[in-house]
Amino acid sequence: QVQLVESGGGSVQAGGALTLSCVVSDDTIRSRCMAWFRQAPGKEREGVAFIDTSGGTNYAYSVAGRFTISHDSADNAAYLWMNNLEPDDTAMYYCAASNLVVQSPNVFRVPSFRYWGQGTQVTVSA
């Protein structure tokens, strides 16, 4: 079974930075694209950053300019560099991967991704 293993969450003060990592455990699954989603208590899961194997990226408006997604095809891993964090960024962050091509306007749709991680908590205090 394919597993996505996330790490890097934690607690920081507003203005701080964190980097999340996501490694796909099964090398037979070469991800065509990967994304990060987040879900705050009482809210729906929302996409924040997306990357395809050509390096094309998409960002949610709320994180554009603060978050950067990258993909390491050799390691079959994705990373989310989060800077200037705000209290509204507090959520459980999930890594997602697809071995199929995902294109706009579907890059932030949950059903577009077959594989999901268990989530890593990010908490930003004021």
Side-chain angles (χ1 to χ4, degrees):
Q1 184 175 355
V2 176
Q3 288 187 320
L4 275 60
V5 181
E6 299 137 329
S7 61
S11 297
V12 296
Q13 291 187 327
L18 286 172
T19 300
L20 306 183
S21 301
C22 173
V23 178
V24 181
S25 64
D26 188 341
D27 287 341
T28 65
I29 304 299
R30 304 311 297 180
S31 302
R32 293 291 188 93
C33 52
M34 299 185 73
W36 287 94
F37 287 72
R38 68 186 182 187
Q39 188 167 16
K43 295 187 177 181
E44 292 187 354
R45 190 170 297 191
E46 62 174 357
V48 295
F50 167 91
I51 189 166
D52 59 32
T53 52
S54 66
T57 57
N58 291 75
Y59 295 95
Y61 178 80
S62 59
V63 307
R66 300 187 297 120
F67 290 12
T68 302
I69 188 171
S70 65
H71 178 250
D72 186 329
S73 58
D75 292 338
N76 209 7
Y79 305 91
L80 186 68
W81 310 83
M82 304 185 295
N83 294 303
N84 195 20
L85 284 160
E86 303 170 353
D88 284 346
D89 295 319
T90 295
M92 186 71 77
Y93 282 70
Y94 297 92
C95 176
S98 172
N99 56 342
L100 302 176
V101 173
V102 178
Q103 295 178 321
S104 180
N106 299 317
V107 298
F108 288 147
R109 292 187 69 244
V110 170
S112 297
F113 298 89
R114 179 177 180 181
Y115 306 106
W116 290 84
Q118 294 300 307
T120 184
Q121 178 67 37
V122 171
T123 302
V124 184
S125 58

